[in-house]
Amino acid sequence: MWLIGEGHTRQYSASVRREGVCDGFHVYGMEWMPDYVEYFFDGESVCRYCRTDDPEDQTENAWPYDQPFYMILNIAVGGFMGGPVADEELPFTMELDYVRAYQKKSGR
């Protein structure tokens, strides 16, 4: 499993490698707050992007998290991290047990 945050902030990007992610179900999480976005794998924080007071972090290009986004779940294979994919390895499947989204109440 690779968890990637692409370089929209001055903090650029980060990746986390976990072995055995295909051996069972796991819980992936994201906490999206006004001043940070944090990602979790099985309850463990694996990456956190923080908004800073730096003027360069105050623009939409540097900190695009002040607007609505869509939740997209997909299988990304190949590419610069996965390498070439042989036809005999296809098709790939993604099995989901559940997807949940929560929103904190204002003032909490």
Side-chain angles (χ1 to χ4, degrees):
M1 184 270 317
W2 287 95
L3 179 64
I4 308 255
E6 285 302 322
H8 294 291
T9 70
R10 289 176 35 122
Q11 298 168 59
Y12 305 110
S13 65
S15 62
V16 176
R17 177 98 172 127
R18 292 284 190 258
E19 299 296 331
V21 297
C22 295
D23 297 338
F25 285 97
H26 298 277
V27 177
Y28 297 84
M30 182 177 95
E31 187 170 293
W32 181 354
M33 302 300 288
D35 57 343
Y36 68 87
V37 177
E38 188 166 9
Y39 300 93
F40 298 86
F41 177 77
D42 286 341
E44 175 189 353
S45 175
V46 293
C47 183
R48 183 175 180 150
Y49 290 107
C50 296
R51 184 178 202 165
T52 70
D53 292 331
D54 188 316
E56 289 185 39
D57 274 350
Q58 305 308 310
T59 66
E60 184 177 315
N61 285 339
W63 188 259
Y65 308 110
D66 291 336
Q67 58 189 326
F69 278 73
Y70 293 98
M71 186 182 309
I72 299 173
L73 306 171
N74 72 349
I75 300 174
V77 297
F80 75 98
M81 295 181 77
V85 177
D87 286 343
E88 57 270 7
E89 295 175 332
L90 299 172
F92 292 100
T93 60
M94 175 171 46
E95 295 181 27
L96 300 172
D97 187 26
Y98 61 89
V99 175
R100 294 182 184 154
Y102 301 94
Q103 183 171 350
K104 290 188 176 188
K105 293 182 180 181
S106 297
R108 288 186 179 186

PDB file of all heavy atoms in Angstrom, residues 3 20-21 38 40 44 50 57 63 68 83 101:
ATOM      1  N   LEU A   3       0.522   5.342   0.343  1.00  0.00           N
ATOM      2  CA  LEU A   3      -0.339   6.477   0.634  1.00  0.00           C
ATOM      3  C   LEU A   3       0.426   7.707   0.199  1.00  0.00           C
ATOM      4  O   LEU A   3       1.517   7.959   0.694  1.00  0.00           O
ATOM      5  CB  LEU A   3      -0.647   6.538   2.123  1.00  0.00           C
ATOM      6  CG  LEU A   3      -1.511   7.693   2.590  1.00  0.00           C
ATOM      7  CD1 LEU A   3      -2.898   7.586   1.966  1.00  0.00           C
ATOM      8  CD2 LEU A   3      -1.607   7.681   4.092  1.00  0.00           C
ATOM      9  N   GLY A  20       1.779  -6.432   3.146  1.00  0.00           N
ATOM     10  CA  GLY A  20       0.674  -7.304   3.513  1.00  0.00           C
ATOM     11  C   GLY A  20      -0.701  -6.674   3.450  1.00  0.00           C
ATOM     12  O   GLY A  20      -1.638  -7.200   4.039  1.00  0.00           O
ATOM     13  N   VAL A  21      -0.853  -5.576   2.736  1.00  0.00           N
ATOM     14  CA  VAL A  21      -2.161  -4.919   2.725  1.00  0.00           C
ATOM     15  C   VAL A  21      -3.205  -5.723   1.962  1.00  0.00           C
ATOM     16  O   VAL A  21      -4.395  -5.501   2.129  1.00  0.00           O
ATOM     17  CB  VAL A  21      -2.086  -3.482   2.158  1.00  0.00           C
ATOM     18  CG1 VAL A  21      -1.216  -2.615   3.039  1.00  0.00           C
ATOM     19  CG2 VAL A  21      -1.596  -3.478   0.738  1.00  0.00           C
ATOM     20  N   GLU A  38      -4.715  14.906   7.941  1.00  0.00           N
ATOM     21  CA  GLU A  38      -3.935  13.790   8.472  1.00  0.00           C
ATOM     22  C   GLU A  38      -4.513  12.471   7.959  1.00  0.00           C
ATOM     23  O   GLU A  38      -5.726  12.299   7.897  1.00  0.00           O
ATOM     24  CB  GLU A  38      -3.964  13.812  10.002  1.00  0.00           C
ATOM     25  CG  GLU A  38      -3.040  12.812  10.641  1.00  0.00           C
ATOM     26  CD  GLU A  38      -2.843  13.080  12.133  1.00  0.00           C
ATOM     27  OE1 GLU A  38      -3.556  13.933  12.702  1.00  0.00           O
ATOM     28  OE2 GLU A  38      -1.978  12.429  12.717  1.00  0.00           O
ATOM     29  N   PHE A  40      -4.524   8.118   8.095  1.00  0.00           N
ATOM     30  CA  PHE A  40      -4.348   7.020   9.042  1.00  0.00           C
ATOM     31  C   PHE A  40      -4.436   5.674   8.321  1.00  0.00           C
ATOM     32  O   PHE A  40      -5.167   5.534   7.341  1.00  0.00           O
ATOM     33  CB  PHE A  40      -5.435   7.061  10.114  1.00  0.00           C
ATOM     34  CG  PHE A  40      -5.417   8.300  10.941  1.00  0.00           C
ATOM     35  CD1 PHE A  40      -6.087   9.443  10.530  1.00  0.00           C
ATOM     36  CD2 PHE A  40      -4.711   8.332  12.140  1.00  0.00           C
ATOM     37  CE1 PHE A  40      -6.068  10.598  11.290  1.00  0.00           C
ATOM     38  CE2 PHE A  40      -4.693   9.488  12.911  1.00  0.00           C
ATOM     39  CZ  PHE A  40      -5.373  10.623  12.484  1.00  0.00           C
ATOM     40  N   GLU A  44      -3.238   4.173  12.854  1.00  0.00           N
ATOM     41  CA  GLU A  44      -1.927   4.796  13.042  1.00  0.00           C
ATOM     42  C   GLU A  44      -1.789   5.972  12.090  1.00  0.00           C
ATOM     43  O   GLU A  44      -2.019   5.848  10.885  1.00  0.00           O
ATOM     44  CB  GLU A  44      -0.820   3.779  12.761  1.00  0.00           C
ATOM     45  CG  GLU A  44       0.569   4.365  12.820  1.00  0.00           C
ATOM     46  CD  GLU A  44       1.637   3.402  12.329  1.00  0.00           C
ATOM     47  OE1 GLU A  44       1.331   2.226  12.063  1.00  0.00           O
ATOM     48  OE2 GLU A  44       2.787   3.842  12.182  1.00  0.00           O
ATOM     49  N   CYS A  50       0.349  20.133   7.354  1.00  0.00           N
ATOM     50  CA  CYS A  50      -0.089  21.240   8.197  1.00  0.00           C
ATOM     51  C   CYS A  50      -0.019  22.550   7.432  1.00  0.00           C
ATOM     52  O   CYS A  50       0.955  22.817   6.731  1.00  0.00           O
ATOM     53  CB  CYS A  50       0.795  21.353   9.431  1.00  0.00           C
ATOM     54  SG  CYS A  50       0.693  19.929  10.515  1.00  0.00           S
ATOM     55  N   ASP A  57       1.712  29.579   1.898  1.00  0.00           N
ATOM     56  CA  ASP A  57       0.759  28.519   2.225  1.00  0.00           C
ATOM     57  C   ASP A  57      -0.681  29.027   2.278  1.00  0.00           C
ATOM     58  O   ASP A  57      -1.599  28.247   2.490  1.00  0.00           O
ATOM     59  CB  ASP A  57       1.091  27.882   3.573  1.00  0.00           C
ATOM     60  CG  ASP A  57       2.103  26.758   3.452  1.00  0.00           C
ATOM     61  OD1 ASP A  57       2.405  26.348   2.325  1.00  0.00           O
ATOM     62  OD2 ASP A  57       2.592  26.303   4.496  1.00  0.00           O
ATOM     63  N   TRP A  63      -2.609  25.628  -0.534  1.00  0.00           N
ATOM     64  CA  TRP A  63      -3.484  24.986   0.443  1.00  0.00           C
ATOM     65  C   TRP A  63      -4.893  24.916  -0.145  1.00  0.00           C
ATOM     66  O   TRP A  63      -5.744  25.744   0.141  1.00  0.00           O
ATOM     67  CB  TRP A  63      -3.484  25.752   1.765  1.00  0.00           C
ATOM     68  CG  TRP A  63      -4.208  25.022   2.843  1.00  0.00           C
ATOM     69  CD1 TRP A  63      -5.468  25.249   3.284  1.00  0.00           C
ATOM     70  CD2 TRP A  63      -3.726  23.900   3.584  1.00  0.00           C
ATOM     71  NE1 TRP A  63      -5.812  24.348   4.268  1.00  0.00           N
ATOM     72  CE2 TRP A  63      -4.754  23.511   4.472  1.00  0.00           C
ATOM     73  CE3 TRP A  63      -2.529  23.189   3.594  1.00  0.00           C
ATOM     74  CZ2 TRP A  63      -4.616  22.444   5.352  1.00  0.00           C
ATOM     75  CZ3 TRP A  63      -2.391  22.132   4.466  1.00  0.00           C
ATOM     76  CH2 TRP A  63      -3.428  21.770   5.340  1.00  0.00           C
ATOM     77  N   PRO A  68     -14.817  22.265  -1.189  1.00  0.00           N
ATOM     78  CA  PRO A  68     -15.324  20.884  -1.236  1.00  0.00           C
ATOM     79  C   PRO A  68     -14.510  19.997  -2.182  1.00  0.00           C
ATOM     80  O   PRO A  68     -13.964  20.472  -3.177  1.00  0.00           O
ATOM     81  CB  PRO A  68     -16.748  21.050  -1.771  1.00  0.00           C
ATOM     82  CG  PRO A  68     -17.101  22.470  -1.516  1.00  0.00           C
ATOM     83  CD  PRO A  68     -15.812  23.234  -1.613  1.00  0.00           C
ATOM     84  N   GLY A  83       5.237   0.208 -11.335  1.00  0.00           N
ATOM     85  CA  GLY A  83       5.970  -0.434 -12.421  1.00  0.00           C
ATOM     86  C   GLY A  83       5.034  -1.003 -13.467  1.00  0.00           C
ATOM     87  O   GLY A  83       3.821  -0.839 -13.398  1.00  0.00           O
ATOM     88  N   ALA A 101     -18.294   8.479   6.077  1.00  0.00           N
ATOM     89  CA  ALA A 101     -17.829   9.863   6.125  1.00  0.00           C
ATOM     90  C   ALA A 101     -18.548  10.553   7.267  1.00  0.00           C
ATOM     91  O   ALA A 101     -19.758  10.409   7.433  1.00  0.00           O
ATOM     92  CB  ALA A 101     -18.106  10.567   4.808  1.00  0.00           C
TER      93      ALA A 101
END
